[in-house]
Amino acid sequence: MDDTLEELGNYIGGKIAGALQAKKVAYDELTLTVARSQILSVLKLLRNDARCRFEVLIDLCGVDYPGRENRFDVVYHLLSLTKNRRVRVKVATDEDTAVPSITPVFAVADWFEREAFDMYGIFFDGHPDLRRILTDYGFHGHPMRKDF
């Protein structure tokens, strides 16, 4: 399985060379780290390219690394039903820099982005309705941050 994922990673890497920061195969899954500003074009390629066909966004979540300059990772988990494969895509951001919303590519990201905003304080530029989803509107803070 790893050889196939390595091949796929090399293929995708050739297509998104300007956006790709790192790629790794671990636990039978390909992980791509890409430039925050390129996330929309990368996800469009992964969804539309005939060799990829990652047409389902399974999950979008945040991860907090308070010791890093860009303390947050936004992690996208995609599934190809036709190819029976998964890929993980990551972008890094800080407390003030918004990540482009991927709702134009995957409409289901609406709720996932709202959850990442509410729990971590990650902003998504172009989101149609970025407001709290799990905590009260008057709540101060972001419960999943390691320094909360």
Side-chain angles (χ1 to χ4, degrees):
M1 182 92 171
D2 283 349
D3 291 339
T4 305
L5 292 176
E6 280 292 340
E7 282 179 29
L8 180 63
N10 291 336
Y11 173 76
I12 294 169
K15 293 279 194 177
I16 63 168
L20 186 64
Q21 296 174 338
K23 71 177 169 60
K24 177 171 105 175
V25 175
Y27 308 107
D28 293 327
E29 195 166 302
L30 176 63
T31 301
L32 307 169
T33 303
V34 301
R36 176 180 52 241
S37 62
Q38 299 297 311
I39 189 63
L40 281 170
S41 61
V42 168
L43 292 181
K44 282 180 190 173
L45 173 97
L46 292 173
R47 184 191 64 190
N48 299 337
D49 187 276
R51 283 188 61 185
C52 299
R53 303 280 299 159
F54 291 102
E55 55 280 283
V56 179
L57 175 69
I58 297 290
D59 187 29
L60 178 164
C61 60
V63 183
D64 186 11
Y65 299 99
R68 291 189 338 197
E69 182 179 345
N70 287 321
R71 76 180 282 181
F72 300 114
D73 277 353
V74 179
V75 184
Y76 307 85
H77 295 102
L78 304 174
L79 169 67
S80 171
L81 294 169
T82 35
K83 305 284 185 179
N84 192 27
R85 286 192 275 222
R86 295 174 185 267
V87 68
R88 177 183 299 116
V89 181
K90 298 197 243 181
V91 299
T93 193
D94 58 28
E95 295 180 42
D96 302 315
T97 308
V99 175
S101 174
I102 65 160
T103 55
V105 181
F106 293 104
V108 70
D110 182 350
W111 287 80
F112 294 136
E113 289 178 351
R114 284 181 63 187
E115 182 180 26
F117 166 71
D118 192 8
M119 296 289 103
Y120 291 94
I122 300 170
F123 293 100
F124 293 91
D125 187 36
H127 189 280
D129 187 20
L130 194 60
R131 60 189 161 103
R132 292 195 179 270
I133 193 169
L134 297 172
T135 60
D136 186 75
Y137 295 123
F139 184 79
H140 295 286
H142 302 284
M144 295 300 287
R145 285 189 180 187
K146 301 238 186 216
D147 57 1
F148 177 71

